[in-house]
């Protein structure tokens, strides 16, 4: 009897309630819900690692002096105008008038305080990566509404780095970065329902073009299937990440939904340990590359969505060249190279972290390398283990990881990085690019560097992950390309 | 000391031992909050400084005693990740997990006892066989599959209920909360029921072959009525099994929370362990362990009332 009563109450509530889905009620309140998988651990954008934090806060809540837009172009943000001296050692920014979300005015002191945090190498409240990004800046000064950055050496990445989490402008003397976020952006951080969602509300005193939608909700799903189901059931308006591209067919078949495709900077990389046999031999590394039929791999692992790349450069970078002919698919050549090196039957381990692009491609790679004489044993590892054993100690043979950072060719110039690629010529080329006085010089140097990487087969670059999203047909203004860390929502609207 | 007193002491000892075990296991895992917060490029100096700030450079027994002392005063500390007080976080998550676990357990207990009794008398008939088959299905099919199937039918296909999630404003929107919890509760209840039905059925069958049953039948009662007098006898072992299964239930609840995107205690625990937020994990597990012991205590008490022969 009791059971029947409970059932009646629950089902009554379920069926008696408004049958319309949640987002139909939302449109009446001018609100849009976005689905994500990784939730931030805190709001500390400059001190805690993890892409989920800038994804929600950068350019929406917090802003920098400059911003990077969906095409990769750097545009003015809190700086009305800026200029770089010819020798590249002085950057001058003229600050515009703006307000913080608590009503106070933005001053040059706020900017100077925020950027000076990046210069304190002993800081524990700023991430080491960000400190390194500003290592060439020796001073940040503010006079009236002008901010001047003085550098020791030319740094061609500085302007881009100022658009990311290191360049974010806080109110002077902010102490609580983890649970509060007072910025100048088009949205105010309104509410965090931990484990569930973050809500942003439009900031009506924004200095620039007002955001198009009043409320934007970032909803987090720990499980990718739950995210997909929410999209299919109409509970969310945009699915910002497609974890299983082979399931896109389900979304394509629906009249009321559309699939959006853009580019990312994420190169799925088959890391080969250059400091350990058998991969300390470049001909063996090349053999590995030649054993893998990339189009088939992309079809198997990623539903056919993805671009073949011949080096560590995405097609959206100015120094991109099609280098896929340097180590083309050739099973016979691969087999011969392995035989010549006397490695037939050698056992190697493939460390696979718990992420779909890695698990999806591991079997294919093991089978393909088996064809040419290498016996691959697949070892699943947790991220903690991967970070410790593979990344820090370089105790591995092969591994698969996607590198998402933009302009990250410099990692191959670090002989201690987990690739353990130690090539002086490459280091010189990267240094030359950093010191280049003109964009052309920079492009030339990086092109040569990319070519060198491919000729040396430092790693194999399996494919470039496309930026796939699904949205309801009536949603406009979704940024298609994933350029920096921010998921910019100010132009999203329901038409 | 009498039975209740003995049980109480045993429970407290059990709780204490559990906390020591949890403390030790968390320290054995590779990585800690400092590496989780600062990421892959952290320098050893920065890591050491952060660890000192968190008090992680003290000896392990020292840390344990400090934590236990605070916990006994009701101070569950703050999260190492974002500084929010742990107690508030646990309460917020209990808003979701408590109704989920309590209602699904009660539903499972009562449905399985009723079903077990009915099936015991109709073993050879269609309804009996059907119920047995359903029980087999519930045991064989993983919980998340059941959950996903329910979502596919009720949320995606028929758009009757949400595919998951919990209203942002929580229990201030009771209708939305109930809608969000229907499918998760049914999923969890189905899994438990499948297991409990077998106990209920075997208890009922035992009773059917007993003298008491025959006497009741001889006195003119129908089979159903006669079995009805043994309601308590069937309920008792079912409750005991439920109490023993509570910790397993929390694990299954984590899966259900994942499938339905519910911000519950289980999923928070999993995430905090991944973040190595040791303060929060210890305090949360303390609450969970205490709750399990309370449940066992209550069930023992209820069983003593249901079947007075136990006290003799």
């Amino acid at each position: 009897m009791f059971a029947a009563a409970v059932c009646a109450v629950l089902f009554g509530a379920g069926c008696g309630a408004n049958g319309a889905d949640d987002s139909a009620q939302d449109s009446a309140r001018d609100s849009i819900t976005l689905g994500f998988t990784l939730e931030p651990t805190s709001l500390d954008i400059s001190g805690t690692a993890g892409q989920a934090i800038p994804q929600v806060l950068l350019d929406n809540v917090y802003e920098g002096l400059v911003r990077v837009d969906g095409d990769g172009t750097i545009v003015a943000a809190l700086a009305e105008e800026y200029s770089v001296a010819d020798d590249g050692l002085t950057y001058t920014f003229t600050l515009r008038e703006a307000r913080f979300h608590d009503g106070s005015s933005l001053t040059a002191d706020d900017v100077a305080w925020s950027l000076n945090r990046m210069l304190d190498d002993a800081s524990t409240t700023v991430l080491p990566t960000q400190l390194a990004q500003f290592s060439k800046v020796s001073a940040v000064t503010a006079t009236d509404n002008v901010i001047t950055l003085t550098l020791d050496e030319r740094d061609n990445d500085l302007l881009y780095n100022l658009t990311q989490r290191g360049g974010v402008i806080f109110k002077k003397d902010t102490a609580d970065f983890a649970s509060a976020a007072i910025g100048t952006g088009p949205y105010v951080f309104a509410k965090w329902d931990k484990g569930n969602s973050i809500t942003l509300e439009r900031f009506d005193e924004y200095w620039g073009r007002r955001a198009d939608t009043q409320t934007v909700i970032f909803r987090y799903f720990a499980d990718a299937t739950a995210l997909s189901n929410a999209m299919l059931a109409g509970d969310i308006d945009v699915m910002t990440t497609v974890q299983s591209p082979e399931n896109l067919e389900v979304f394509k078949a629906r009249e009321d939904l559309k699939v959006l495709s853009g580019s990312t900077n994420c190169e799925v990389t088959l890391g080969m340990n250059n400091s350990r046999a058998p991969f300390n031999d470049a001909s063996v590394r090349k053999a590995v590359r030649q054993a893998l039929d990339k189009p088939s791999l992309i079809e198997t692992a990623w539903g056919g969505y993805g671009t073949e790349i011949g080096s560590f450069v995405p097609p959206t970078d100015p120094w991109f060249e099609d280098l896929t002919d340097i180590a083309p698919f050739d099973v016979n050549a691969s087999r011969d190279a392995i035989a010549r090196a006397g490695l037939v039957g050698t056992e190697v381990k493939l460390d696979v972290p718990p992420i779909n692009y890695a698990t999806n491609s591991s079997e294919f790679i093991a089978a393909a390398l088996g064809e040419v004489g290498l016996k691959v044993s697949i070892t699943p590892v947790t991220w903690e283990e991967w970070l410790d054993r593979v990344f820090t100690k370089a105790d591995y043979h092969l591994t698969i990881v996607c590198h998402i950072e933009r302009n990250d060719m410099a990692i191959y110039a670090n002989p201690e990085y987990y690739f353990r690629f130690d090539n002086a010529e490459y280091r010189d080329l990267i240094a030359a690019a950093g010191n280049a006085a003109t964009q052309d010089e920079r492009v030339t140097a990086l092109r040569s560097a990319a070519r060198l990487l491919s000729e040396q087969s430092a790693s194999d670059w399996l494919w470039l992950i496309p930026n796939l999203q699904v949205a309801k047909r009536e949603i406009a203004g979704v940024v298609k390309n994933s350029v920096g860390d921010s998921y910019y929502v100010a132009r999203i609207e329901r038409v | 000391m009498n039975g209740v007193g003995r049980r109480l002491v045993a429970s407290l000892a059990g709780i204490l031992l559990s906390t020591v075990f949890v403390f030790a296991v968390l320290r054995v895992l590779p990585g800690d909050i400092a590496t989780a917060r600062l990421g892959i490029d952290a320098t050893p100096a920065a890591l050491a400084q952060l660890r000192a700030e968190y008090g992680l450079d003290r000896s392990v027994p020292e840390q344990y005693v400090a934590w236990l002392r605070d916990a006994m005063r009701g101070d569950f500390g703050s999260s190492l990740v974002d500084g929010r007080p742990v107690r508030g976080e646990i309460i917020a998550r209990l808003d979701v997990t408590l109704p989920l676990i309590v209602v699904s357990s009660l539903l499972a207990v009562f449905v399985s006892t009723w079903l077990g009794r009915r099936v015991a008398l109709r073993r050879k008939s269609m309804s009996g066989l059907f119920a047995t088959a359903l029980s087999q299905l519930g045991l064989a099919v993983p919980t998340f599959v059941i959950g996903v199937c329910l979502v596919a039918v009720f949320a995606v296909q028929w758009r009757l209920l949400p595919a998951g999630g919990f209203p942002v404003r929580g229990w201030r929107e009771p209708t939305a909360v109930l809608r969000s919890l229907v499918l998760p509760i049914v999923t969890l209840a189905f899994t438990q029921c499948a297991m409990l039905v077998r106990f209920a059925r075997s208890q009922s069958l035992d009773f059917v072959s007993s003298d008491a049953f025959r006497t009741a039948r001889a006195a003119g009662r129908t089979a159903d009525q006669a079995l009805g007098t043994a309601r308590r006898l069937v309920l008792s072992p079912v409750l005991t099994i439920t109490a023993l299964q509570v910790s397993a239930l929390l694990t299954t609840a984590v899966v259900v929370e994942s499938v339905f995107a519910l911000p519950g205690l289980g999923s928070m625990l999993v995430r905090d362990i991944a973040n190595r937020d040791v303060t929060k994990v210890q305090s949360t597990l303390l609450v969970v362990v205490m709750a399990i012991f309370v449940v066992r205590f209550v069930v023992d008490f209820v069983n003593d009332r249901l079947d007075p022969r136990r006290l003799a």
Side-chain angles (χ1 to χ4, degrees), chain B residues 83-297:
Chain B
R84 281 158 102 151
V86 175
R87 208 160 71 168
E89 300 277 302
I90 295 178
I91 291 172
R93 293 310 184 101
L94 280 176
D95 266 359
V96 179
T97 304
L98 211 57
L100 179 65
I101 290 190
V102 167
V103 175
S104 65
S105 298
L106 288 176
L107 195 60
V109 163
F110 287 109
V111 169
S112 60
T113 23
W114 173 80
L115 205 59
R117 285 199 336 265
R118 276 191 76 82
V119 164
L121 293 172
R122 291 162 184 72
R123 240 178 327 162
K124 305 275 170 31
S125 78
M126 277 309 289
S127 61
L129 288 171
F130 179 71
T132 313
L134 212 60
S135 157
Q136 293 279 59
L137 199 74
L139 284 171
V141 175
T143 313
F144 73 87
V145 173
I146 297 174
V148 170
C149 286
L150 286 176
V151 168
V153 170
F154 288 94
V156 178
Q157 195 70 21
W158 290 345
R159 309 278 189 111
L160 274 178
L161 295 165
F166 199 73
V168 175
R169 298 177 61 236
W171 279 96
R172 279 171 290 178
E173 287 179 47
T175 331
V177 166
L178 288 174
R179 287 186 74 219
S180 299
L181 288 180
V182 170
L183 292 180
I185 286 175
V186 168
T187 308
L188 209 50
F190 189 77
T191 313
Q192 293 179 70
C193 205
M195 183 197 45
L196 295 173
V197 141
R198 314 186 109 218
F199 288 102
R201 195 180 76 132
S202 65
Q203 280 296 113
S204 305
L205 284 174
D206 278 351
F207 183 74
V208 162
S209 47
S210 73
D211 288 336
F213 182 75
R214 256 176 300 200
T215 314
R217 288 285 274 144
R221 308 236 176 137
T222 66
D224 277 318
Q225 285 171 332
L227 190 49
T229 63
R231 226 176 257 124
R232 292 176 170 202
L233 284 177
V234 175
L235 189 59
S236 186
V238 167
L239 274 178
T240 311
I241 302 289
T242 308
L244 289 173
Q245 289 287 305
V246 169
S247 37
L249 187 58
L250 191 65
T251 318
T252 319
V254 171
V255 171
V256 169
E257 282 172 16
S258 182
V259 170
F260 291 97
L262 291 171
L265 202 68
S267 55
M268 178 180 85
L269 201 53
V270 168
R271 229 194 24 192
D272 290 333
I273 293 173
N275 284 333
R276 306 289 190 269
D277 194 345
V278 288
T279 314
K280 204 152 162 227
V281 173
Q282 278 146 211
S283 301
T284 309
L285 283 175
L286 178 66
V287 170
V288 169
V289 166
M290 287 197 309
I292 292 176
F293 277 97
V294 164
V295 167
R296 300 232 180 126
F297 219 78

Side-chain angles (χ1 to χ4, degrees), chain A residues 129-305:
Chain A
T129 317
Q130 269 54 53
L131 292 174
Q133 283 174 353
F134 288 83
S135 55
K136 297 192 182 132
V137 180
S138 56
V140 176
T141 51
T143 347
D144 292 333
N145 67 337
V146 174
I147 290 98
T148 312
L149 271 69
T150 317
L151 279 70
D152 297 323
E153 290 174 54
R154 183 183 282 275
D155 183 355
N156 288 326
D157 296 318
L158 183 62
L159 209 57
Y160 176 76
N161 288 335
L162 283 169
T163 68
Q164 297 300 297
R165 65 202 303 176
V168 151
I169 307 302
F170 304 100
K171 269 190 74 163
K172 190 168 165 217
D173 299 326
T174 302
D176 178 17
F177 294 100
S179 53
I182 313 279
T184 57
Y187 280 99
V188 176
F189 168 78
K191 183 176 197 271
W192 188 359
D193 187 13
K194 269 217 168 177
N196 204 359
S197 62
I198 290 182
T199 308
L200 303 181
E201 296 284 349
R202 178 167 55 210
F203 182 45
D204 290 316
E205 281 88 54
Y206 182 56
W207 59 264
R209 185 176 150 197
R210 233 166 67 112
D212 289 328
T213 303
Q214 166 69 31
T215 310
V216 175
I217 302 173
F218 282 62
R219 250 184 84 179
Y220 298 100
F221 296 79
D223 179 51
T225 314
L227 173 62
S228 292
N229 287 337
M231 188 74 235
L232 289 170
D235 292 348
I236 56 176
D237 298 303
V238 182
M239 187 167 128
T240 64
T241 155
V242 174
Q243 300 274 300
S244 320
E246 54 270 21
N247 297 338
L248 271 180
E249 303 305 314
V250 170
F251 296 103
K252 280 189 165 156
R254 288 269 296 264
E255 300 267 309
D256 57 329
L257 301 177
K258 57 185 178 186
V259 174
L260 305 167
S261 175
S263 69
T264 68
N265 298 315
C266 207
E267 304 97 351
V268 180
T269 307
L270 177 66
M272 298 182 267
N273 193 340
N274 282 233
S275 67
R276 180 181 289 197
F279 301 115
N280 48 356
D281 180 348
S283 65
V284 175
R285 296 197 297 267
K286 184 174 179 185
V288 166
R289 294 181 68 193
Q290 295 200 273
L292 301 173
D293 179 8
K294 305 298 189 307
S296 294
L297 174 59
I298 296 174
E299 187 65 47
T300 308
W302 216 243
Y305 297 91

